[in-house]
Amino acid sequence: MDISVKINDVYLDYLNKRQATQIFFGGSSSGKSFFICQKIIIDCLQGVNWLCCRNVARTIRNSVYNQIVKTIYDMGVSEMFRINKSDMVITCENGAQILFSGLDDVEKVKSITPAKGVLERIFIEEATEIKEDAYMQLTKRLRGISSNDKYIILAFNPILKSHWIYKSFFGKWEDNKNCYEDDEVCILKTTYKDNNMLTAEDKHRLENEKNPYYYNVYSLGNWGVLGHIIFTNWRCEDLSDMIPRFDNIYCGMDFGYSSDPNALIKVHVDKKQKRIYVIDEWYRTGMNDDELVKKAKEIFGREIVVCDSADPKTIDYLAVNNVNAVPAVKGPDSINRGIRWLQGYEIIIDSKCQNFKNEIEQYHWLEDKYGNAMAKAADENNHLIDALRYATEQLQIENSVSAGVRL
């Protein structure tokens, strides 16, 4: 098989690296995850067992699992693999396996064992989502006798320099270079310019990003620094024991357009303690209306769901199909009003709500040309935050009225 035709040139030298930690990071649409999937399949054909992880288990099927299955077919080797869709186990004809697991259940990860041989390599997709402790747990899974090199691959967009990955592995990194290697670590930075498979439209979108932070991180692939974060009043914890007792429920929905996701959120509000508990979410692109109805019923039941009023047709469709959907009121300054109200509460995020955590830790004020914060929030990667504003809109209005604020 002539794999050189199918792999972006920048990655060819990284097919057979041996370092214990291998990092592929950079901008969006750089082809890094696609290359890693290609590598995993090539390795499996050579008898190597792989484990593919994300921080939250339920995000795996629509991300790395689907990408690997698609890549198997794209590479023309589907006859060499048996794909168990229900268990998400992919077995090569030689007995090697590709396994999948979330890191939200450490005990389950500890028990994962391939049918033949030992676990030899691990891929962590969206590695900036995970905690350092989870990474350390995974390093302990690579044990046992094998003739193959054992290592962990991390792939991610760089997000923030305050992240533990930056502190742990980037001490000798030089920003004017795109690679680094020593005996223990190899790092490759790539951007959309390294991906020969993008369309002109894909490139245009990345090249014309207006937000300086998003351009720096997602277009140029640089580690970001955010000085004007909007929310610092939040933390994550496992709420599974508390959720059955929550009864003051508020639900919101932000609709997806083109490449934007549909974002659904469900929270419990403790007005006395001024706490918001984020207890469930859904975040997905490419959903049709019937799929949206099904997911809304699953998450919300018969609870009232406050939706983005910009799409009345979809709200009507949800309502006709027995989703208790109503439009948001919005009104003048509704975004900043919602932000101010949310800043007055402690926001506690269930550990499974990874997408909301990703949004809230990056949500920031725009800056003027002098670097000063403006009274305008960045309108990107904020779909679940918008859904939360809609969900709690009535509480915001009640608060404004009681305070004598004119809406």
Side-chain angles (χ1 to χ4, degrees), residues 4 8 10 33 73 97 105 135 160 189 214 241 256 261 276 375:
S4 64
N8 277 310
V10 71
S33 294
Y73 284 96
Q97 290 184 317
D105 187 343
Y135 169 80
L160 298 170
K189 171 188 171 182
Y214 292 120
D241 291 338
I276 296 172

Side-chain angles (χ1 to χ4, degrees), residues 2 34 110 144 148 187 201 213 215 221 302 311 344 367 393:
D2 183 9
F34 180 56
K110 288 179 180 178
N148 297 308
I187 302 174
E201 183 180 358
Y213 169 77
Y215 181 74
R302 288 299 298 162
D311 192 353
E367 298 178 356
E393 184 180 63

